[in-house]
Amino acid sequence: MNEIEPLAENILMPDCAIAIENIGKRYSIGHLRASDDGLRHKIENAIRSPLAWLKSSQRKHPKTEDFWALRNISFQIQKGDVIGIIGRNGAGKSTLLKLLSRITVPTEGRIRIDGRCASLLEVGTGFHQELTGRENIFLNGAILGMTRDEIVSKFDEIVEFSEISEFLDTPVKRYSSGMYVRLAFAVAAHLEPEILIVDEVLAVGDAAFQKKCLGKMGSFAQSGRTVIFVSHNVEAVRSLCQRAVWLKDGRLHQDGKTEEIIEGYFNSISDAVAFSTTNAEYGLTIQKVTLKNMSGEECGQFHPGDDLIVEISYDAEKRVERPIFALGVLGVGGSCFTSNMLLDGHRPEYLEGAGTVTCTFKSLPLLPQSYTVNMRIQAASVKEIIVPYQEVARFSVVGDLGEYGYRGEYAAWALRSTPVVVPYEWRLPDGTTAAVALSRRSN
Amino acid sequence: MSELLIEAGRTERQYWRDIWRYRELFYFLAWRDMLVRYKQTLVGVAWSLIRPILTMLVLTVVFGKLGKMPSGGAPYPLLVLCGMLPWQFFSAALAECGNSLVSNSNLISKVYFPRIVVPVSSIISSFVDFLISAGFLVVLMFWYRYVPPATVIFLVFFVLLMLGASLGVGLWVAALMVKYRDFRFIVPFVVQFGLYISPVGFQSSVVPARFRLLYSVNPMVGIIDGFRWCLLGSRDSVYWPGFVLTVVDVVVMVASGIWYFRKTEQTFADVI
């Protein structure tokens, strides 16, 4: 390419894999009026046109509202970088990936990509239910941009990785969801691009498989290739990426070392999460997840030793049999503790209509930091996930380190250690004992 | 070397290079469509023979025996089949091509490739069905001991016209269908209607001469006439102004179809 504007040429470093320059994507939303939906409405509007004319002259507002899913985003990714993109739902992560993988075009700005690029926004894109595993490997490979020869040469590896060799000639519609995902990821994992763009694909599959996927991505990254990784799973971002970009409301909020970004991300509690989700297949809506303190008030701030009550409000249109709830509390340093019906065996017989499930974590043994609550709901079959593991609420713990019994010279370093504290006692060689415990009474 | 520029606006140069890079995908998608079409059917590919045979019998009885239409010397079933091959291809291609983007919406919204691959491969898979039915025409010619005239070498030209007409209309419908699902209802209607206004069951010479040019506005008229002229040598079919009009029609449709498709394809993922 020789007709690059001088500006761009100045910016682009020689070993830059991706340069994003002032990119923006606008969607028209808001009054998504019937007029945009079909021909009938076009015709209808034409017939009613005199009336519509009057209306539009009265109100000057256009029918559609512009919504910038992304705006003024600029950053560069060096070759060999493994970069994580984090942010809330709706922050523009997926839009950015769609722009990078050329599924949709930017409204303004530009992106320069140097190297063969493959993107994985979904596991099993283009799989056809009626086709066999073997046929789908070829089809999916071709759709992801592999040539026929490449697929043939990697075929055995793909089959081995997916562990489905016995079912190679069975239509994938007869596969279990686990087999399906394994096969789909196996194909994608054997793409050999210089730049790999991955969306939340790790949210599926069982734990062992997720580990395998992460391992594959890790080795991919270690071989010096560029990876762009988007995830809600902050743990995965932490373990894979050196650098992270934090998107917030369509803007680039912060860009830097993963540790710092994640800390900032966790600390941005001020804007409380209003979580709600619906799984249409199961007819289950989680209306909200609220955190309450011991007196039953909604609360975002706790003291060490307080009880934390997580209240999950649901509305089940259909009867959901024996669902499995799991909650996890995560801090800056990672997962702290969980409550999981899969482990303790207590499950509701069924959910029907509106109701709540609450879980009380007794006397929080946490340091004064920010935490998130993640939740997952699995169906009775365990394999089927009704609500994938994700962040549903946030809270912070406030308190003085002295209350924890931390009175040493370097007590402030506590915030860099693990956030979970349990009472302990030292017995020293001279026979003295020293108990370290929360001084706050937990009532 | 393989640098890529994504920019608001056009990316003309990369477009054609990408089509070349994804050339194998044309084959794979067409292959998938064909594999899937007859999965879990008892007689499988035989369906692409049964349909034209039955239609041919019905049309022969209705127009040839009951309507006593002229056949221009050729056996009536042959006359009908020569008209039906391009017509059935056109209607099948139009239906499949029109639906192709919407039925592949999961691909469109999740992975990049030149979008034009999807409608074109649906035409390729319809063309395979056409070739199978054409095999039946050859068998029928042997049966009637009918030797095609020397004009048969021009058949290639009319096959190309037929492909062009399907591609042109197909691209329009596919692109429009992304936004206006109304075409899901319009297409079957047009196909049904078209069977009667195209000279499938009869010769176009039965149309009064003064209406013949107007009649030829429908590109399938020229194409079907061309098929009959090439395969049966029927002089009645030759109507030069009509042929010229057909060629113009097809060129305009292909060019405008590609233009409109290119113009709208960048927003497919946002709209679909």
Side-chain angles (χ1 to χ4, degrees):
Chain A
M1 303 239 157
N2 21 25
E3 319 146 12
I4 303 159
E5 284 168 31
L7 171 76
E9 203 152 37
N10 289 339
I11 297 173
L12 194 73
M13 305 302 238
D15 54 351
C16 185
I18 296 180
I20 297 169
E21 295 164 16
N22 208 15
I23 210 84
K25 174 73 184 174
R26 183 182 58 208
Y27 287 103
S28 296
I29 51 133
H31 319 283
L32 248 190
R33 291 275 314 240
S35 60
D36 298 331
D37 281 335
L39 269 185
R40 183 174 74 91
H41 301 285
K42 279 256 150 105
I43 296 163
E44 210 175 276
N45 284 357
I47 293 166
R48 293 184 185 166
S49 79
L51 214 77
W53 231 77
L54 272 175
K55 266 190 192 167
S56 67
S57 58
Q58 278 166 3
R59 283 190 304 148
K60 286 264 163 83
H61 292 291
K63 275 185 208 154
T64 52
E65 245 172 43
D66 285 346
F67 165 72
W68 287 90
L70 273 185
R71 195 140 203 210
N72 297 334
I73 307 278
S74 298
F75 62 94
Q76 297 192 358
I77 301 169
Q78 305 301 312
K79 283 187 179 145
D81 264 5
V82 182
I83 182 165
I85 294 175
I86 57 175
R88 297 279 174 63
N89 286 332
K93 301 183 305 268
S94 305
T95 309
L96 182 60
L97 286 202
K98 281 191 171 176
L99 291 175
L100 284 174
S101 42
R102 304 171 68 193
I103 291 166
T104 179
V105 290
T107 315
E108 56 179 36
R110 60 174 172 183
I111 303 172
R112 289 148 53 72
I113 299 176
D114 185 9
R116 185 179 160 185
C117 185
S119 59
L120 205 55
L121 301 199
E122 181 189 65
V123 159
T125 307
F127 263 46
H128 199 289
Q129 295 291 325
E130 299 284 346
L131 300 181
T132 66
R134 185 192 302 277
E135 289 161 348
N136 268 312
I137 290 176
F138 279 92
L139 180 65
N140 190 228
I143 287 169
L144 293 175
M146 286 200 238
T147 64
R148 192 188 164 81
D149 296 339
E150 267 179 280
I151 305 171
V152 170
S153 69
K154 287 187 192 135
F155 189 82
D156 293 336
E157 265 180 79
I158 293 175
V159 174
E160 195 184 328
F161 188 87
S162 65
E163 306 163 14
I164 56 123
S165 49
E166 304 149 64
F167 306 102
L168 211 48
D169 293 307
T170 310
V172 295
K173 64 178 172 183
R174 311 223 187 283
Y175 280 25
S176 74
S177 53
M179 286 160 64
Y180 184 90
V181 170
R182 280 210 300 277
L183 179 64
F185 187 81
V187 180
H190 289 82
L191 280 169
E192 282 190 352
E194 291 151 60
I195 303 168
L196 180 68
I197 301 172
V198 190
D199 202 357
E200 300 285 358
V201 289
L202 302 174
V204 292
D206 54 29
F209 179 70
Q210 287 190 12
K211 210 170 156 192
K212 197 168 169 181
C213 297
L214 272 174
K216 185 79 190 174
M217 282 179 50
S219 69
F220 189 88
Q222 269 157 25
S223 64
R225 279 173 284 192
T226 314
V227 181
I228 300 167
F229 179 50
V230 164
S231 185
H232 277 299
N233 185 344
V234 177
E235 286 310 291
V237 172
R238 186 200 311 277
S239 63
L240 277 174
C241 313
Q242 311 104 25
R243 182 178 154 203
V245 169
W246 174 8
L247 295 183
K248 194 172 168 185
D249 304 327
R251 312 285 159 131
L252 196 154
H253 187 69
Q254 222 182 335
D255 174 5
K257 285 212 171 90
T258 307
E259 284 304 319
E260 293 163 16
I261 300 291
I262 289 180
E263 197 175 331
Y265 179 66
F266 269 103
N267 284 332
S268 68
I269 293 227
S270 53
D271 35 351
V273 194
F275 174 82
S276 70
T277 183
T278 300
N279 183 322
E281 193 189 334
Y282 285 91
L284 182 66
T285 301
I286 301 300
Q287 291 160 322
K288 57 179 181 178
V289 178
T290 37
L291 303 184
K292 295 185 171 173
N293 61 19
M294 283 172 280
S295 35
E297 294 156 355
E298 215 168 299
C299 182
Q301 239 178 35
F302 296 83
H303 293 283
D306 281 357
D307 287 356
L308 165 70
I309 302 169
V310 183
E311 187 179 278
I312 305 156
S313 310
Y314 64 82
D315 185 9
E317 268 174 48
K318 295 185 226 167
R319 195 177 158 110
V320 183
E321 299 286 344
R322 295 178 65 72
I324 303 160
F325 286 78
L327 291 169
V329 171
L330 279 83
V332 176
S335 185
C336 301
F337 45 78
T338 61
S339 63
N340 190 340
M341 292 184 181
L342 201 56
L343 305 181
D344 58 45
H346 301 287
R347 296 156 68 172
E349 278 306 314
Y350 59 88
L351 305 180
E352 202 168 20
T356 57
V357 171
T358 58
C359 179
T360 305
F361 291 98
K362 308 256 175 175
S363 50
L364 289 179
L366 295 172
L367 285 175
Q369 273 176 357
S370 302
Y371 300 90
T372 65
V373 178
N374 287 25
M375 180 186 74
R376 178 181 58 212
I377 305 175
Q378 281 158 285
S381 66
V382 180
K383 275 181 183 167
E384 301 280 318
I385 291 171
I386 305 177
V387 177
Y389 194 63
Q390 60 191 299
E391 185 185 312
V392 292
R394 298 156 165 244
F395 66 95
S396 60
V397 172
V398 293
D400 181 61
L401 285 174
E403 290 177 71
Y404 297 82
Y406 289 179
R407 299 194 183 88
E409 195 182 341
Y410 298 103
W413 288 14
L415 298 180
R416 292 197 219 155
S417 81
T418 65
V420 181
V421 289
V422 294
Y424 59 92
E425 191 181 79
W426 293 110
R427 182 180 295 275
L428 303 174
D430 60 4
T432 54
T433 58
V436 180
L438 276 172
S439 58
R440 180 178 288 267
R441 76 259 165 257
S442 54
N443 37 355
Chain B
M1 31 139 240
S2 58
E3 200 181 273
L4 181 73
L5 184 68
I6 303 170
E7 208 174 3
R10 288 261 152 131
T11 46
E12 194 69 40
R13 210 170 355 174
Q14 278 148 8
Y15 191 77
W16 301 106
R17 198 173 61 187
D18 273 349
I19 290 186
W20 176 245
R21 225 192 94 202
Y22 279 90
R23 61 192 183 277
E24 288 189 346
L25 195 55
F26 286 99
Y27 160 75
F28 274 111
L29 287 184
W31 169 74
R32 177 198 67 178
D33 288 347
M34 283 181 282
L35 272 182
V36 169
R37 191 177 302 153
Y38 299 116
K39 283 255 165 156
Q40 269 196 6
T41 58
L42 273 179
V43 291
V45 184
W47 278 115
S48 54
L49 281 178
I50 295 172
R51 269 190 314 175
I53 291 173
L54 289 180
T55 320
M56 182 195 76
L57 289 177
V58 171
L59 291 181
T60 304
V61 170
V62 171
F63 290 103
K65 297 276 182 267
L66 302 178
K68 303 241 178 336
M69 296 278 201
S71 77
Y76 212 86
L78 274 185
L79 180 86
V80 169
L81 197 59
C82 284
M84 253 178 50
L85 283 182
W87 173 254
Q88 284 212 326
F89 168 77
F90 179 77
S91 58
L94 184 60
E96 302 232 345
C97 190
N99 265 319
S100 60
L101 286 173
V102 173
S103 55
N104 284 297
S105 59
N106 61 330
L107 289 188
I108 306 279
S109 59
K110 289 292 181 193
V111 68
Y112 170 80
F113 52 84
R115 298 333 188 180
I116 207 165
V117 174
V118 171
V120 171
S121 18
S122 73
I123 286 183
I124 296 175
S125 74
S126 305
F127 189 64
V128 173
D129 269 356
F130 168 82
L131 291 179
I132 294 171
S133 320
F136 175 64
L137 177 69
V138 174
V139 172
L140 202 67
M141 281 181 151
F142 270 106
W143 171 267
Y144 281 109
R145 292 174 206 287
Y146 194 93
V147 181
T151 48
V152 75
I153 52 167
F154 293 110
L155 190 62
V156 180
F157 172 70
F158 287 100
V159 169
L160 284 178
L161 270 186
M162 174 186 83
L163 287 169
S166 322
L167 182 69
V169 183
L171 286 179
W172 270 102
V173 175
L176 283 167
M177 181 99 76
V178 170
K179 197 161 183 196
Y180 305 109
R181 300 288 149 89
D182 309 64
F183 282 88
R184 190 172 275 166
F185 306 102
I186 295 175
V187 168
F189 175 72
V190 168
V191 166
Q192 202 180 20
F193 191 59
L195 178 64
Y196 298 102
I197 60 166
S198 303
V200 178
F202 49 88
Q203 281 191 305
S204 49
S205 56
V206 302
V207 175
R210 58 202 162 103
F211 291 128
R212 194 117 184 230
L213 191 64
L214 183 68
Y215 189 56
S216 299
V217 170
N218 171 4
M220 290 314 288
V221 172
I223 293 169
I224 291 173
D225 283 352
F227 265 68
R228 287 191 177 135
W229 175 62
C230 295
L231 289 165
L232 308 176
S234 41
R235 302 222 146 263
D236 296 350
S237 304
V238 185
Y239 177 64
W240 290 108
F243 281 157
V244 173
L245 190 59
T246 301
V247 173
V248 174
D249 263 357
V250 169
V251 170
V252 168
M253 284 191 304
V254 170
S256 67
I258 292 178
W259 166 79
Y260 184 73
F261 194 88
R262 290 275 289 119
K263 192 171 91 110
T264 51
E265 73 175 330
Q266 297 191 329
T267 58
F268 283 169
D270 301 332
V271 181
I272 208 159

